[in-house]
Amino acid sequence: DVPPTVELKAPPREDYRWLSKSEAAALHAALPEHLRPMYLFALATGLREQNVLRLEWGKADLSRRVMWVKAGAAKGKKPIGLPLNRDAIDVLKAQHGKHGRWVFPNEETGKPYDRANNHGFKTAQIKAGIAPLTRHDLRHTWASWHVMAGTSLGTLMELGGWRSIQSVFGYAPLSAEAIASDAAR
């Protein structure tokens, strides 16, 4: 007479996902042309999706090679000052002149895209053979690549705008090579 109560268990939490360099290249090749600059910029900076989509020219200084995310636009609610590497600068230079305000404008509307985790992004993942992937996995990829290259967790915390070191500890197992000299002592 009464449907039984079924206890649903949450699926086991997967480790975060990050891309290898070859997977990143395959995804880039499969992306529609208009998504490629945003994708490259996300991999170069580690910024969250909305911080990339809503980037304004007034927040990027190519001559000083830095950009800013306002406190209200940052997840940690503190402003982020971010040094720009060569890859990020190259993307910005290629975008220069496309719009007076927005770095990554939708060419049809002149406004920023609402989402970059869209049909084009999902279709490209399938073509590249790396689905499923979220836009936030690009941030994980950026952080993972940094740790594997030897960036300290403290520096990564600052670059990524995390409020506590605990948020960065998930990347620590990837740094085995970076701490090998310490282990040798």
Side-chain angles (χ1 to χ4, degrees):
D1 295 338
V2 178
T5 302
V6 177
E7 183 179 331
L8 300 176
K9 293 185 179 181
R13 185 168 179 251
E14 299 279 331
D15 287 340
Y16 60 85
R17 172 81 189 277
W18 57 274
L19 299 173
S20 67
K21 297 279 185 176
S22 61
E23 289 173 325
L27 181 57
H28 180 263
L31 282 168
E33 195 66 38
H34 70 282
L35 295 179
R36 288 178 181 177
M38 293 177 274
Y39 167 76
L40 291 174
F41 196 75
L43 284 180
T45 62
L47 288 173
R48 291 179 175 86
E49 179 183 30
Q50 289 301 310
N51 296 137
V52 172
L53 296 178
R54 306 255 178 244
L55 180 59
E56 298 180 49
W57 284 112
K59 300 296 179 197
D61 186 336
L62 279 83
S63 63
R64 292 180 50 217
R65 302 175 67 91
V66 295
M67 65 162 288
W68 302 269
V69 175
K70 295 185 290 188
K75 183 178 176 187
K77 301 301 180 208
K78 68 175 189 173
I80 302 170
L82 186 66
L84 297 170
N85 61 30
R86 181 180 26 99
D87 294 338
I89 292 290
D90 288 347
V91 171
L92 292 176
K93 285 180 178 177
Q95 290 298 111
H96 203 266
K98 291 188 177 184
H99 193 273
R101 179 178 178 189
W102 305 109
V103 174
F104 303 107
N106 180 327
E107 292 177 8
E108 294 176 11
T109 66
K111 297 178 181 178
Y113 288 92
D114 292 324
R115 300 279 308 178
N117 191 18
N118 56 23
H119 178 73
F121 183 68
K122 291 175 183 175
T123 300
Q125 294 172 45
I126 294 167
K127 284 182 186 175
I130 60 169
L133 186 71
T134 68
R135 286 298 291 195
H136 200 71
D137 291 331
L138 301 181
R139 182 169 167 83
H140 292 301
T141 297
W142 167 84
S144 299
W145 288 357
H146 261 286
V147 170
M148 288 184 283
T151 301
S152 74
L153 297 182
T155 298
L156 186 62
M157 183 179 106
E158 289 298 316
L159 289 171
W162 283 286
R163 292 175 75 178
S164 72
I165 196 71
Q166 278 71 26
S167 301
V168 186
F169 278 153
Y171 301 101
L174 299 173
S175 64
E177 291 86 0
I179 61 171
S181 61
D182 294 333
R185 281 190 244 145

